[in-house]
Amino acid sequence: MPIQILPDDVASQIAAGEVVERPASVAKELIENSLDAHATYIQIRIMQAGQSLIQVSDDGDGIPSEELSLAVARHATSKIHDASNLFSIQTLGFRGEALASIGSVSKLLIISRPKKAEFGSRIEVEGGQLTLQEKVGVPVGTVVRVENLFYNVPARLKFLKQPSTERNRINELITRYALAYSGVRWQLFQDNQAILQTSGSGDNREALVQLYGIDVARQMVEVTMEDNETKISGFISPISLTRSNRKEITFFVNGRWIQDGSLTTALLQAYHTLLMIGRYPMAVLFIKLPPGELDVNVHPAKAEVRFRDSNYIFSTVQRAVRRALLAYSPIQPLSPPRWQHTSQPQIIDPAWQMASELKSSNGNIETQTSIESPQQSSLPSGQIPLLRLIGQIGAVYLVAEGPDGLYLIDQHAAHERVLFEQFQKLPNKNILSQSLLEPVIIHLPPQNAQLLTSHLSFLSKYGFKIEEFGPNTFRIMAIPVLLIDTDPASVVKSVVEEFEEDETPLQGEIESRLIARICKRSAIKAGQILTVDEQRALLNNLETCQSPRTCPHGRPTMIHLSIDLMERQFGRRGSR
Ligand code: ADP
Ligand code: MG
């Protein structure tokens, strides 16, 4: 065959193959248009999993009637004007091909009226051909109706999955956008059944409740971090709330839902060692960065982006998540805490209880300090009451009794916490250095030696006196008093590992991470039999901790079985 330029409708159908793969991709293009048009209300109606109808109505800016036929032409857009705009894109659309593509593989109807226009207009397109244009009286906004999707592309129809799968994809899509745009009031109907409705209040946690239910929403930990012009925000699940797959991990970059394996990897690394193998967190994270840092023009369906400095973005995501996780102290008791210092009867106000739980899950360190309800001398949230030691079991756990039941304490995690807080309390860390009777010599691989060399003065603030002692060799002269019972070489090596993990950590964060690492290495181990005095000392120290319920890495130090729970379990009291 000779070379020919393809007719327009064939070219459109080819382009449509990339942009509209399935009903959910049509829905995505349409809601993105509504969002670009500043809609505050978006309604989506789906019939037969999108095959017979996908309709999106909004109260946005509308399309002037003289531009309506252009909206369905290929490469027609109001969002960019020249190539330079491609690197400062603030809208979700910019390619100007969605409506044209959709129109070439369906029966498309658009009704629209801009705010200032007296009338609206309506056009119809079938298989890419404009079949009707007329004036109509309609409310302000736009309705786009897509019927008989892929009626003229039978091959595409065959590739669609089960209706239930296609329906789910649409639900997933709308749910995510509803979270990302919580200021928009969303409604989704499938076959006339309401699937999702949000209030549009703009409160992200409220949107979480509407989408995931109160139970999950209450547990999600808030992430916020700003670094230069990059902002990371959103919600992640605590380590106690996991899924068996990565499906509930969502990233929005500059308001755009992005499927990006490396962002997911960055997130998973932040949870490293905190989750069991095969378990995954839930997360909805919003990344905002200057448009110039991003190339959005890499994928026809705009589901991928390229970052100018991807390493920076990944490490920032990781740090933001890690920091939120470490600051978060899960609510450990199996029933709400009811103890108090005095023996007066205590009134529990459920609203207060919930408010404090919500507060303590917002990922802020400050919330671990006291939250007092009026006229009530209960313990500050997160702290534990005085405990009576019962003993040690399995050389792993301590058993103790509190005013409200039984406590099982992980001796290793508990000791880690105690050391961690003792370290942080030291006013001037270097006065508490203890010289070794005999200096210890260590050898390190060259890259680690370099890392250690560059951190020697930093370490001296914490009581480590280490000198270079030949190539890749160091002499440990002194270590912090707190660590005097440990093996100096292994402590220093683990410190170097911590430097290795992230080469550009934030100041302040490295400090607590370093201390956490040292404490982990120095804490008593599971399997170590403790004398009664040692057990008691550990308990007493734990009682004085600010955040006794978790180890510095966020794992629980204890399980609390309340009397209330025991009574119910033993059938002494009917369940409420
Ligand atoms: P793009 O979004 O990439 O510009 P589309 O084909 O999706 O391309 O839409 C073409 C144009 O139609 C948009 O640039 C916009 O001006 C207009 N448009 C589409 N949908 C709407 C809507 N819901 N409200 C207002 N204008 C719309
Ligand atoms: Mg668009």
Side-chain angles (χ1 to χ4, degrees):
M1 278 204 292
I3 300 177
Q4 289 175 342
I5 304 255
L6 289 173
D8 229 35
D9 56 333
V10 181
S12 287
Q13 269 204 23
I14 292 174
E18 296 176 323
V19 183
V20 287
E21 207 188 333
R22 51 172 22 104
S25 22
V26 173
K28 173 167 176 285
E29 294 296 337
L30 299 185
I31 60 169
E32 286 191 347
N33 281 345
S34 299
L35 291 168
D36 281 345
H38 314 100
T40 62
Y41 167 65
I42 302 179
Q43 185 204 66
I44 302 108
R45 285 190 172 274
I46 307 291
M47 298 297 275
Q48 296 184 325
Q51 260 190 50
S52 65
L53 178 74
I54 301 166
Q55 176 181 298
V56 174
S57 321
D58 66 51
D59 64 351
D61 300 335
I63 308 170
S65 50
E66 63 278 12
E67 289 175 25
L68 202 50
S69 56
L70 263 185
V72 293
R74 275 179 70 206
H75 309 305
T77 177
S78 57
K79 299 170 193 174
I80 60 173
H81 302 291
D82 59 42
S84 68
N85 297 151
L86 277 177
F87 296 93
S88 55
I89 288 173
Q90 311 270 5
T91 49
L92 296 170
F94 59 89
R95 301 173 60 100
E97 46 181 17
L99 289 181
S101 298
I102 294 166
S104 72
V105 293
S106 69
K107 185 175 164 209
L108 173 68
L109 175 144
I110 306 177
I111 301 172
S112 191
R113 182 183 145 203
K115 279 197 182 73
K116 290 201 178 117
E118 249 176 86
F119 285 98
S121 11
R122 156 197 177 113
I123 60 169
E124 283 181 25
V125 176
E126 203 165 339
Q129 304 300 315
L130 196 70
T131 53
L132 174 103
Q133 173 152 16
E134 64 182 16
K135 269 192 186 172
V136 282
V138 283
V140 170
T142 304
V143 180
V144 179
R145 213 178 145 83
V146 178
E147 286 172 34
N148 302 341
L149 183 63
F150 300 136
Y151 78 100
N152 55 351
V153 205
R156 184 62 69 167
L157 273 182
K158 275 196 216 129
F159 276 96
L160 293 183
K161 300 259 164 38
Q162 297 279 334
S164 59
T165 309
E166 299 294 342
R167 263 199 296 272
N168 271 339
R169 293 209 188 217
I170 295 173
N171 295 351
E172 260 171 33
L173 169 93
I174 306 298
T175 310
R176 289 187 165 88
Y177 271 87
L179 253 182
Y181 294 86
S182 58
V184 171
R185 192 157 64 85
W186 295 84
Q187 279 187 333
L188 167 65
F189 295 91
Q190 298 252 19
D191 299 315
N192 293 323
Q193 201 192 335
I195 301 292
L196 175 144
Q197 317 218 32
T198 68
S199 71
S201 69
D203 179 338
N204 282 334
R205 208 175 269 273
E206 191 185 315
L208 266 185
V209 173
Q210 285 157 348
L211 300 170
Y212 289 116
I214 179 85
D215 247 23
V216 168
R218 192 196 303 195
Q219 293 180 62
M220 296 291 273
V221 177
E222 195 166 348
V223 177
T224 49
M225 180 153 121
E226 242 170 289
D227 192 60
N228 296 322
E229 287 180 89
T230 303
K231 204 178 157 214
I232 317 266
S233 61
F235 295 93
I236 55 172
S237 58
I239 52 182
S240 51
L241 181 66
T242 59
R243 290 280 181 276
S244 62
N245 58 50
R246 302 159 191 234
K247 280 195 183 146
E248 289 295 347
I249 299 177
T250 305
F251 285 95
F252 275 82
V253 178
N254 285 3
R256 204 182 281 286
W257 181 19
I258 294 301
Q259 271 106 10
D260 184 312
S262 39
L263 282 175
T264 305
T265 306
L267 174 86
L268 294 178
Q269 276 170 5
Y271 278 85
H272 185 57
T273 73
L274 298 180
L275 299 183
M276 295 224 259
I277 292 172
R279 303 301 299 178
Y280 299 92
M282 300 169 70
V284 201
L285 288 178
F286 306 110
I287 303 172
K288 276 224 164 69
L289 58 170
E293 292 294 301
L294 196 66
D295 185 358
V296 290
N297 189 23
V298 279
H299 189 270
K302 299 163 291 179
E304 288 166 22
V305 290
R306 224 175 266 136
F307 297 107
R308 206 172 57 77
D309 186 353
S310 50
N311 284 341
Y312 169 74
I313 300 295
F314 302 149
S315 75
T316 309
V317 165
Q318 209 172 326
R319 278 177 290 154
V321 171
R322 190 79 185 180
R323 186 195 280 182
L325 277 178
L326 292 186
Y328 166 69
S329 157
I331 307 144
Q332 277 312 311
L334 296 173
S335 68
R338 292 174 169 215
W339 54 74
Q340 56 181 147
H341 289 309
T342 64
S343 54
Q344 295 155 5
Q346 186 190 343
I347 307 128
I348 296 178
D349 170 358
W352 170 75
Q353 189 76 45
M354 179 150 144
S356 75
E357 284 180 15
L358 271 176
K359 264 205 162 148
S360 73
S361 60
N362 77 359
N364 245 325
I365 294 184
E366 285 84 59
T367 59
Q368 291 176 12
T369 54
S370 139
I371 300 164
E372 293 267 338
S373 96
Q375 291 134 20
Q376 205 175 299
S377 61
S378 63
L379 279 170
S381 132
Q383 300 211 349
I384 52 170
L386 295 179
L387 299 176
R388 183 177 70 84
L389 178 71
I390 297 172
Q392 188 186 25
I393 50 175
V396 178
Y397 306 107
L398 301 187
V399 186
E401 186 195 4
D404 182 38
L406 186 76
Y407 287 77
L408 274 176
I409 293 153
D410 180 317
Q411 63 189 39
H412 170 70
H415 194 214
E416 256 184 85
R417 164 55 64 186
V418 167
L419 286 175
F420 185 71
E421 295 205 4
Q422 284 177 347
F423 246 102
Q424 288 195 315
K425 263 190 234 139
L426 298 180
N428 186 354
K429 283 135 186 151
N430 53 15
I431 48 166
L432 286 142
S433 181
Q434 168 85 47
S435 296
L436 300 177
L437 287 177
E438 241 180 73
V440 173
I441 310 291
I442 55 165
H443 301 272
L444 294 174
Q447 67 277 24
N448 289 8
Q450 234 177 3
L451 269 177
L452 182 55
T453 305
S454 60
H455 288 93
L456 285 182
S457 68
F458 174 80
L459 286 174
S460 72
K461 282 203 301 185
Y462 297 96
F464 288 96
K465 291 219 172 58
I466 305 172
E467 294 174 352
E468 283 177 276
F469 193 65
N472 305 325
T473 308
F474 297 82
R475 187 158 63 166
I476 309 171
M477 315 287 289
I479 59 170
V481 168
L482 280 172
L483 303 182
I484 204 63
D485 292 336
T486 63
D487 167 26
S490 82
V491 169
V492 171
K493 281 182 182 159
S494 73
V495 165
V496 176
E497 276 168 36
E498 189 63 33
F499 291 135
E500 220 183 357
E501 237 170 55
D502 185 354
E503 280 161 39
T504 53
L506 294 178
Q507 269 309 328
E509 189 197 4
I510 175 109
E511 179 175 315
S512 59
R513 270 176 43 184
L514 180 67
I515 295 174
R517 168 72 72 130
I518 294 171
C519 296
K520 183 164 184 58
R521 189 54 75 105
S522 339
I524 48 172
K525 301 283 175 299
Q528 219 166 312
I529 295 171
L530 305 178
T531 65
V532 172
D533 283 344
E534 286 169 332
Q535 297 170 27
R536 197 164 284 137
L538 178 55
L539 265 194
N540 291 346
N541 285 330
L542 191 64
E543 283 161 11
T544 63
C545 283
Q546 279 270 302
S547 312
R549 291 171 180 277
T550 54
C551 84
H553 298 90
R555 280 177 299 246
T557 54
M558 62 180 68
I559 294 173
H560 171 213
L561 299 173
S562 69
I563 288 177
D564 187 63
L565 179 85
M566 288 192 265
E567 285 186 342
R568 273 185 282 142
Q569 294 282 317
F570 282 113
R572 290 179 165 274
R573 190 136 51 92
S575 53
R576 279 178 287 174

